[in-house]
């Protein structure tokens, strides 16, 4: 008797660092995103690629908030998980952490097909900060790791095409204001997990769409990544894309991740008529293959390289002594710098398949690249024919609208608010009013009454909404200070910077809480090159916050730390070192001891001419938990202290010095 495919809830326990509270300051500017190229470089790209790279890049992270409140102290933590398995494959999903597939275990061989991180350690890689490595993640929104990396998704059991059960994950992606779903389907007796994905645009206006499925795979000396391509677009964190040959580039075979020194992306130029796949195989020719219907056209290899910086990042993201990993990815466009237009009322959908592959190691690792690719193509065709993937997609499509059954996890209430406002009909992905919570409450009140309510107690402002329909409602609401604050944030996001400043200045006149408005005006001053006025406003904002804060709770502590950090940077930029020291002295001692603020103190000491004391901070050791991917701040501060080489503990360089 054939065992049935089953879906069940369980718990995965990992050493984990808490994500911490969101930063309450509105993200008026995006975090530094390494995947950007200079305007001049775009002129040398194919027309379609250049157009999609220039299509609707992010101006801000709004309405999403930055997650930077995590540390590096890990404790054993139970994480809710969903397991879908048949007699051959077991997939473990973490719905509370972006719906990540944490593990894909092949039972007949006992092999783990993914790089399964042994810890949960947030790091500053997502568009909004907190991200973690390992497994398969679903990147939607804009260039970079999704803002949902450490966020809960809705999950439920849904009828599968073969009459069994599949797992549906869904949420409302807020950067682009779009709902999406991911259906995980494991047919009986199959070695392959099918993943049906749908992104819908319920609005009348077109929307930019970004999608990359990111698969972490174990990396060894003999690990080779193969894809059906003879060329790739190379991105080496130097703000340029260049077309390079595959597999050899600059004297080395770059399909072996450890044969590069520095981190790099290789976006494969897959021919339109070719089957879409990518595989990572070990010395014995065993590993994982991912394939899809043709809509998911892009394939990519990301490697950390064998250099000191890449190795350091690998250690940072997991535990010392664990093996390294590379990423193989699949996306809607050729590169991750592009966004694809989705017309109003339209949708994108496709099917992906993940499973084991065994190939002849002599062919896989031979010098003949054509033969190596042909070997993988042949083995994949035997294990899962291209026609079978297309048939699975056609079988899944009618099930995409099926209403979810047993609820397995709950996401945010933002989708419910949007459905309530827009009356959207989204079969298969219900956003129930029962999911509306405290953060959505004032916006629901604005929708119901036309008035944005004043808070019942003194607290930092809640999150702002910035979509055109919410901006219109704020413009017609009574012009109370908090309404003007949120209106200014929405106008800033829309690119109407002058009007945003006017709204914030109007609100400032009558505001009982001045610091949120002053901080927004300070950011506007910085953007306008008004360094002195920005410093004035930051100093006044921080003073007002310190007088207003009510307790040492997480929200006020987060606000004080975030505003203090920005204020010190602004004051140092204006060469007002004494005032920066005053802000530092008013931070809570526990905040001052965080690694990020140890670095801030070192910067402050350097500005005061106290280089020996700044050096002592480095010698004592500290860890900047939210060190940004590609950040070179540690090297920059160190070079202002001494001419000595940067110590290995602080070396996170992703490109050659001066590159």
């Amino acid at each position: 008797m054939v065992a049935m495919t089953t879906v069940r809830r369980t718990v995965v326990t990992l050493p984990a660092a808490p994500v911490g509270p969101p930063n309450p300051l509105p993200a008026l500017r995006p975090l530094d995103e390494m995947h950007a190229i200079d305007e001049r470089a775009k002129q040398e790209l194919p027309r379609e690629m250049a157009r999609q790279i220039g299509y609707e890049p992010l101006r801000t992270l709004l309405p999403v908030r930055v997650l930077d409140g995590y540390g590096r102290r890990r404790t054993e933590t139970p994480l809710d998980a969903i397991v879908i398995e048949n007699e051959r494959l077991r997939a473990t999903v973490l719905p509370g952490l972006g719906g990540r597939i944490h593990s894909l275990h092949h039972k007949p061989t006992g092999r783990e097909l993914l790089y399964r991180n042994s810890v949960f350690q947030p790091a500053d890689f997502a568009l909004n900060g907190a991200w973690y490595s390992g497994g398969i993640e679903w990147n939607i929104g804009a260039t970079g790791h999704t803002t949902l990396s450490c966020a809960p998704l809705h999950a439920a059991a849904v009828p599968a095409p073969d009459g069994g059960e599949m797992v549906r994950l869904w949420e409302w992606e807020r950067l682009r204001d779009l709902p999406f779903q991911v259906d995980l389907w494991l047919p009986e007796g199959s070695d392959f997990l099918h993943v049906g994905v749908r992104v819908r645009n319920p609005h009348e206006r077109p929307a930019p769409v970004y999608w990359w499925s990111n698969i972490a795979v174990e990396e060894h000396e003999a690990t080779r990544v193969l894809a059906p391509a003879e060329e790739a677009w190379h991105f080496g964190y130097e703000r340029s894309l260049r077309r390079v040959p595959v597999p050899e580039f600059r004297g080395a075979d770059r399909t072996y991740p450890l044969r590069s020194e520095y981190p790099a992306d290789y976006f494969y130029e897959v021919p339109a008529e070719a089957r879409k796949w990518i595989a990572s195989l070990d010395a014995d020719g065993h590993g994982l293959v991912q394939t899809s219907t043709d809509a998911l056209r892009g394939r990519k290899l990301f490697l950390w390289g064998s250099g000191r910086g890449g190795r350091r990042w690998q250690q940072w993201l997991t535990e010392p002594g664990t093996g390294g990993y590379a990423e193989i990815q699949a996306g809607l466009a050729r590169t991750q710098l592009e966004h694809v237009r989705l017309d109003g009322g339209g949708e994108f959908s496709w099917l992906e398949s993940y499973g084991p592959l065994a190939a002849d190691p002599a062919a896989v690792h031979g010098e003949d690249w054509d033969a190596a690719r042909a070997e993988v193509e042949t083995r994949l065709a035997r294990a899962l024919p291209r026609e079978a993937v297309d048939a699975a997609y056609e079988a899944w499509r009618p099930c995409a609208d099926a209403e979810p059954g047993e609820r397995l996890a709950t996401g945010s209430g933002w989708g419910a608010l949007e459905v309530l406002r827009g009356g959207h009909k989204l079969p298969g992905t219900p956003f129930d009013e029962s999911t509306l919570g405290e953060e959505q409450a004032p916006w629901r009140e604005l929708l119901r009454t036309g008035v944005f309510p004043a808070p019942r107690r003194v607290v930092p402002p809640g999150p702002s909404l910035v979509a055109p329909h919410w901006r219109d409602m704020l413009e017609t609401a009574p012009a109370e200070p908090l309404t003007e604050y949120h209106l200014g944030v929405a106008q800033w996001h829309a690119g109407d910077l002058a009007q945003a400043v006017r709204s914030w200045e109007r609100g400032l006149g009558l505001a009982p809480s001045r610091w949120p408005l002053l901080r927004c005006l300070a950011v506007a001053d910085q953007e306008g090159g008004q360094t002195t006025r920005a410093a004035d406003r930051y100093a006044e904002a921080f003073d007002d916050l310190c007088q207003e804060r009510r307790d040492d709770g997480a929200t006020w502590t987060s606000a004080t730390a975030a505003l203090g950090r920005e204020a010190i940077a602004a004051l140092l930029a204006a060469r007002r070192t004494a005032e920066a020291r005053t802000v530092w002295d008013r931070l809570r001692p526990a905040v001052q001891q965080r690694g990020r603020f140890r670095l801030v103190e070192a910067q402050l000491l350097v500005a005061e001419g106290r280089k020996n004391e700044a050096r002592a901070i480095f010698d004592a050791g500290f860890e900047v938990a939210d060190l940004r991917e590609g950040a070179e701040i540690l090297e920059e501060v160190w070079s202002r202290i001494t001419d000595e080489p940067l110590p290995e503990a602080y070396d996170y360089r992703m490109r050659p010095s001066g590159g």
Side-chain angles (χ1 to χ4, degrees):
M1 180 178 178
V2 178
M4 295 287 290
T5 298
T6 61
V7 173
R8 59 184 170 87
R9 283 182 283 195
T10 188
V11 170
V12 172
T13 300
L14 294 175
V19 174
N23 186 326
L25 307 184
L28 300 178
R29 293 172 290 208
L31 299 183
D32 291 337
E33 170 51 46
M34 293 298 297
H35 289 86
I37 63 173
D38 298 327
E39 285 299 318
R40 187 172 58 183
K42 292 181 185 177
Q43 299 174 7
E44 302 175 3
L45 301 177
R47 183 175 301 175
E48 179 196 26
M49 184 185 294
R51 183 179 68 251
Q52 292 187 160
I53 288 175
Y55 178 47
E56 296 289 340
L58 288 185
R59 286 192 294 266
T60 77
L61 286 176
L62 296 164
V64 176
R65 290 191 151 184
V66 172
L67 294 175
D68 58 4
Y70 50 86
R72 293 192 55 80
R73 181 173 298 174
R74 299 188 287 265
T75 58
E76 292 292 319
T77 304
L79 304 173
D80 289 337
I82 301 169
V83 172
I84 177 171
E85 67 179 316
N86 63 11
E87 68 273 27
R88 302 190 65 80
L89 208 60
R90 179 171 62 246
T92 304
V93 182
L94 302 179
L97 293 171
R100 183 83 57 102
I101 297 182
H102 173 65
S103 168
L104 192 61
H105 178 79
H106 187 234
K107 296 180 182 180
T109 61
R111 290 179 177 270
E112 172 60 49
L113 301 180
L114 306 175
Y115 169 75
R116 183 178 59 190
N117 202 334
S118 57
V119 304
F120 171 70
Q121 176 57 63
D124 194 2
F125 279 66
L127 286 163
N128 63 329
W131 174 86
Y132 64 105
S133 64
I136 305 173
E137 63 175 316
W138 318 112
N139 286 306
I140 181 173
T143 299
H145 292 283
T146 177
T147 62
L148 296 166
S149 291
C150 294
L153 302 191
H154 301 283
V158 184
D162 61 0
E165 281 189 318
M166 63 182 177
V167 173
R168 174 163 300 157
L169 307 165
W170 75 97
E171 192 39 287
W172 197 281
E173 200 288 311
R174 302 179 66 211
L175 289 180
R176 302 306 194 181
D177 206 19
L178 302 176
F180 72 98
Q181 71 188 77
V182 177
D183 288 355
L184 307 174
W185 168 34
L186 185 55
E188 291 181 22
S190 175
D191 279 334
F192 283 83
L193 175 70
H194 293 322
V195 180
V197 182
R198 178 166 63 168
V199 181
R200 287 185 276 192
N201 181 3
H203 310 293
E204 294 181 357
R205 64 185 186 275
V209 174
Y210 171 94
W211 184 281
W212 282 82
S213 301
N214 183 8
I215 310 130
V217 290
E218 289 192 359
E219 168 194 73
H220 305 285
E221 287 292 337
T223 298
R224 192 176 204 188
V225 172
L226 302 100
E230 297 178 352
E231 293 182 309
W233 293 93
H234 170 262
F235 181 85
Y237 295 86
E238 296 160 341
R239 297 194 179 273
S240 66
L241 272 175
R242 69 182 73 183
R243 194 193 296 260
V244 301
V246 176
E248 290 199 10
F249 170 53
R250 289 179 175 171
D253 188 331
R254 306 297 175 171
T255 62
Y256 291 89
L258 288 175
R259 295 186 185 178
S260 295
E261 182 177 3
Y262 288 96
D265 296 322
Y266 291 90
F267 300 103
Y268 294 112
E269 188 69 53
V270 179
E273 70 281 0
R275 183 176 185 181
K276 308 303 184 287
W277 59 267
I278 190 166
S280 174
L281 304 179
D282 62 17
D284 298 324
H286 294 280
L288 173 113
V289 65
Q290 186 269 5
T291 187
S292 71
T293 49
D294 287 352
L296 204 65
R297 64 178 294 190
R299 293 297 185 274
K300 170 198 165 182
L301 163 64
F302 167 75
L303 53 87
W304 285 107
S306 58
R308 197 165 79 167
R311 296 298 95 193
R312 187 75 183 94
W313 274 118
Q314 296 249 33
Q315 296 166 12
W316 184 252
L317 294 169
T318 185
E319 289 185 311
T322 55
Y325 75 96
E327 294 171 356
I328 58 175
Q329 303 190 22
L332 278 176
R334 280 188 288 191
T335 74
Q336 287 178 324
L337 286 71
E338 301 169 69
H339 300 99
V340 182
R341 176 186 169 111
L342 177 58
D343 289 332
E347 67 175 51
F348 290 140
S349 66
W350 62 89
L351 187 114
E352 308 178 43
S353 299
Y354 297 82
L357 193 75
D360 178 7
V364 167
H365 297 286
E367 295 184 3
D368 187 333
W369 176 242
D370 290 339
R373 287 185 296 147
E375 169 66 10
V376 175
E377 290 259 15
T378 300
R379 299 287 183 153
L380 175 58
R382 293 176 188 168
L384 186 67
R386 186 176 190 176
E387 298 76 18
V389 175
D390 292 337
Y393 171 72
E394 294 300 329
W396 166 73
R397 283 294 290 124
C399 300
D401 285 346
E403 287 305 304
E406 179 190 1
R407 300 303 171 91
L408 303 172
T410 303
S412 78
W414 295 113
L417 183 67
E418 292 302 330
V419 168
L420 189 65
R421 182 209 60 80
H424 304 302
K425 304 300 181 184
L426 299 167
T429 55
F431 293 94
D432 302 328
E433 283 194 44
S434 61
T435 62
L436 292 167
E438 183 179 351
E439 288 188 325
Q440 292 83 40
W443 298 95
R444 188 179 189 183
E445 184 72 9
L446 173 65
L447 183 62
R448 188 176 66 84
T449 67
V451 177
F452 196 90
R456 297 179 180 177
R457 55 192 176 91
V458 178
V459 292
S464 299
L465 296 184
V466 298
H469 40 265
W470 293 109
R471 187 173 71 247
D472 291 345
M473 279 186 269
L474 289 167
E475 287 176 345
T476 57
E480 298 297 330
L482 185 58
T483 307
E484 296 286 9
Y485 162 81
H486 286 299
L487 175 58
V489 172
Q491 291 165 333
W492 179 273
H493 173 75
D496 193 349
L497 310 190
Q499 189 58 55
V501 168
R502 286 192 285 272
S503 295
W504 291 328
E505 288 177 338
R506 280 197 308 269
L508 194 60
L510 298 174
S513 180
R514 292 170 53 82
W515 66 266
L517 292 151
L518 286 166
R519 184 265 177 176
C520 289
L521 289 167
V523 173
D525 288 334
Q526 288 178 322
E527 291 294 292
Q530 300 294 324
T531 304
T532 299
R533 192 166 65 187
D536 290 340
R537 281 177 161 156
Y538 264 121
E540 185 180 355
F542 189 75
D543 182 67
D544 187 69
L545 170 59
C546 289
Q547 294 182 45
E548 182 179 290
R549 64 185 178 192
R550 293 296 187 263
D551 52 48
D552 292 337
T555 301
W556 283 109
T557 297
S558 179
T560 305
L563 186 58
R565 176 175 159 185
E566 290 186 9
I568 290 171
L571 289 163
L572 288 179
R575 301 184 183 280
R576 289 156 60 171
T577 309
E579 291 176 77
R581 172 61 65 180
T582 299
V583 172
W584 169 265
D585 290 340
R586 297 178 76 178
L587 294 172
R588 303 291 194 197
V591 171
Q592 292 177 340
Q593 292 304 309
R594 295 179 188 173
R596 165 60 66 179
F597 286 87
R598 297 292 285 160
L599 176 60
V600 169
E601 185 180 17
Q603 293 173 287
L604 182 55
L605 288 166
V606 169
E608 293 171 332
R610 300 157 65 183
K611 291 186 178 181
N612 288 340
E613 293 172 71
R615 170 67 182 263
I617 290 176
F618 275 82
D619 290 344
F622 62 91
E623 292 183 324
V624 180
D626 62 330
L627 187 68
R628 186 69 177 162
E629 176 190 11
E632 297 174 348
I633 184 66
L634 292 170
E635 182 182 15
E636 292 168 3
V637 176
W638 177 259
S639 67
R640 295 179 64 191
I641 296 171
T642 177
D643 292 331
E644 296 176 22
L646 182 68
E648 184 174 356
Y650 302 111
D651 190 351
Y652 295 87
R653 288 174 291 196
M654 299 182 76
R655 59 179 180 170
S657 295

